[in-house]
Amino acid sequence: MRHGRGALLVAVLSMLVPVFAGCPGSAVDDRVRGQWHGAIEVPGAPVVVAVDLTGRHSGRIDIPAEKVADRALAGVVAEPERVEFGVPDVPGDARFAGRLDESADAIVGDFRQAGHSFGLRLNRRPVGPPARPQQPAPPYPYISEDVSYPSGGITVAGTLTRPAAAPAPLPAVVLIGGSGPQDRNEEIAGHKPFLLLADTLTRAGYAVLRTDDRGVGGTGGNLNQANYTDLTGDVEAGLRFLRERPEIDSGRIGLLGHSEGGYLAPLVAARPETGIAFTILMAAPAVPGTDIVLAHGRRTFTEAGATPGQLDTHLAFLRDWTAALRAGRLTRAARLSETYNRTLPKDLRTISEALTGENTPYMAALVSHDPAPALSALRIPVLAFFGSKDVQVPPAQHAQPMRDLLGAGPDATVTVLDGLNHLMQPAGSGLPTEYESIETTIDPVALDTVTGWLGVRVRGD
């Protein structure tokens, strides 16, 4: 469920995206010296890299998708007939082996990892970033205002957009992002889905509030030390802020939660005193957090080639680890993960540590949460939609429970959009490794699903 810089997404990305450590170098042939650019040819999700060969046994690398800049390489051999580097600290014994093709002024070879081989061609000319044709850019045909307001002992910062010409008071939507430290645009892999959602909804006649998470951008606090009482309190502070604005219709304010934001939105909306008019759940989980962790652990270990015995042991450990977190025994959870992870081979250890290294109040809140009480208590219009190729919140695990839990409400729509992933992009495998290479930020079908549903329920279209 975590995305971008979050631990669940990082656990998947670490299987394919190299992170290099360095060693000293010596003189290097001028034919291979200097900067090279290319993309590891992972099917459907090429990983752009820039390599600077500074010595016969040294170099540096940039990996824009991972925000890695000027990182040292390891195990470098930089000779015209032999260009190699290895990746000792990531899963799957990752390494590149190739040679200089002087006729093309290119280094060509194969990047091998976890028994798979991907072509990698490095050229002198940089590889441009993927296009983002949907990304809004100023000047906007509406008002965009940076705002801030108090929530308990911290200040929450964000952006409020609203139509310039629409008659007040306006209906409003509060966007709630996914797990991990997200900025107000929910930026991931060069995409800004909340910027696009805010732009789409504002052009359709709604005011939209989107904010930085705790400890991100202009918002204070520490997300790792926050629980769901703190985070729902931040949402409620946004509601109070909107209701103080004369241009906002206090009776037509709703929530849109993406991923873990779909855990938080129902918690707020189910409380009658909050006066929420509607709720939209985008790729929102409908099962307890522990079930999500177990499903993630099964998928990532299976994809990494774990044996049946290793998989059974891993799931048993995850049950013990999540039980400790649910009991509030964070020190025990940390000890369990440290002891268990030391027993794993390097490739599996990296995957497990990416998830179980976070023994914090925030992780305990996520693992402990059961969405059933809040979802089943909703008595307002609710739209829940999933992508059929979402591997983080797969509809096979979540869509039917969502239908069952929302069944008592007066107006619940639950739908699965064909071919879309966790970000609602048109996808191949649906794996997070594809996010960067897909030009679309949110498929128009998903955007139309939201605006069409809102138009009927809120604007009376």
Side-chain angles (χ1 to χ4, degrees):
M1 189 169 60
R2 181 174 298 247
H3 39 265
R5 296 169 293 280
L8 302 187
L9 175 56
V10 171
V12 178
L13 289 176
S14 64
M15 298 172 62
L16 292 175
V17 180
V19 179
F20 297 85
C23 61
S26 55
V28 60
D29 190 301
D30 284 341
R31 288 172 293 175
V32 296
R33 178 197 299 273
Q35 297 183 355
W36 298 88
H37 306 268
I40 301 170
E41 296 171 4
V42 179
V47 179
V48 173
V49 298
V51 176
D52 186 3
L53 297 174
T54 57
R56 189 178 179 189
H57 299 294
S58 67
R60 318 289 295 183
I61 193 166
D62 293 338
I63 311 172
E66 286 296 283
K67 302 188 185 301
V68 171
D70 198 33
R71 186 75 59 83
L73 292 165
V76 177
V77 177
E79 301 172 352
E81 295 301 318
R82 183 182 172 206
V83 179
E84 297 180 358
F85 47 82
V87 191
D89 297 324
V90 299
D93 189 29
R95 61 183 62 248
F96 171 79
R99 59 182 295 277
L100 177 68
D101 180 349
E102 290 193 73
S103 65
D105 194 22
I107 294 171
V108 294
D110 293 310
F111 186 87
R112 298 180 179 275
Q113 188 169 18
H116 301 282
S117 180
F118 309 102
L120 175 57
R121 181 185 183 91
L122 296 167
N123 299 285
R124 292 293 189 183
R125 186 170 56 200
V127 177
R132 298 287 181 256
Q134 291 178 295
Q135 188 155 302
Y140 304 118
Y142 49 80
I143 299 167
S144 180
E145 177 186 359
D146 289 337
V147 298
S148 62
Y149 46 85
S151 176
I154 70 167
T155 296
V156 175
T159 299
L160 176 64
T161 55
R162 64 187 193 277
L170 297 164
V173 182
V174 178
L175 305 185
I176 310 172
S179 59
Q182 305 289 334
D183 68 14
R184 67 191 69 185
N185 296 324
E186 203 186 40
E187 183 169 357
I188 174 174
H191 291 282
K192 298 179 179 180
F194 273 17
L195 174 61
L196 176 58
L197 273 170
D199 180 85
T200 300
L201 291 170
T202 306
R203 290 171 186 266
Y206 303 87
V208 182
L209 176 65
R210 64 189 198 274
T211 59
D212 299 326
D213 282 353
R214 289 187 172 217
V216 178
T219 298
N222 182 338
L223 182 65
N224 280 334
Q225 298 306 312
N227 57 34
Y228 278 11
T229 299
D230 301 319
L231 299 184
T232 55
D234 294 343
V235 177
E236 292 175 0
L239 297 176
R240 290 192 294 272
F241 167 78
L242 288 176
R243 290 192 169 109
E244 292 172 355
R245 304 281 300 221
E247 64 268 46
I248 304 300
D249 184 344
S250 62
R252 291 191 295 166
I253 300 176
L255 308 176
L256 189 157
H258 178 218
S259 195
E260 188 195 23
Y263 265 181
L264 299 174
L267 283 172
V268 176
R271 300 169 188 161
E273 66 272 17
T274 61
I276 297 299
F278 58 88
T279 297
I280 301 172
L281 305 175
M282 171 175 160
V287 302
T290 293
D291 293 354
I292 295 173
V293 169
L294 291 172
H296 170 79
R298 179 183 295 279
R299 178 176 61 83
T300 55
F301 259 47
T302 299
E303 290 171 351
T307 66
Q310 288 171 326
L311 179 58
D312 288 345
T313 300
H314 186 56
L315 295 176
F317 154 69
L318 289 177
R319 292 185 186 97
D320 290 342
W321 178 70
T322 53
L325 288 173
R326 292 197 307 273
R329 303 177 65 184
L330 304 187
T331 300
R332 172 172 168 74
R335 288 173 181 164
L336 283 170
S337 61
E338 289 169 6
T339 300
Y340 167 72
N341 289 332
R342 282 197 299 266
T343 70
L344 294 172
K346 284 186 178 180
D347 54 345
L348 298 180
R349 183 187 312 161
T350 301
I351 296 170
S352 182
E353 285 177 342
L355 172 61
T356 64
E358 297 193 8
N359 297 284
T360 63
Y362 172 69
M363 179 57 77
L366 190 156
V367 167
S368 302
H369 185 62
D370 180 358
L375 288 171
S376 60
L378 292 176
R379 295 296 182 268
I380 56 177
V382 181
L383 167 66
F385 62 102
F386 302 88
S388 70
K389 292 194 174 182
D390 188 344
V391 299
Q392 294 181 259
V393 180
Q397 184 183 21
H398 296 271
Q400 191 56 50
M402 183 70 77
R403 292 186 183 97
D404 295 340
L405 292 167
L406 294 176
D411 180 4
T413 302
V414 180
T415 188
V416 178
L417 303 181
D418 188 48
L420 306 188
N421 63 18
H422 189 60
L423 302 186
M424 298 300 150
Q425 300 171 299
S429 69
L431 289 171
T433 47
E434 292 183 332
Y435 294 169
E436 185 200 15
S437 65
I438 299 171
E439 290 188 355
T440 302
T441 297
I442 301 177
D443 192 281
V445 169
L447 296 173
D448 290 345
T449 297
V450 172
T451 56
W453 184 88
L454 280 173
V456 172
R457 270 77 179 178
V458 180
R459 291 165 46 114
D461 294 352

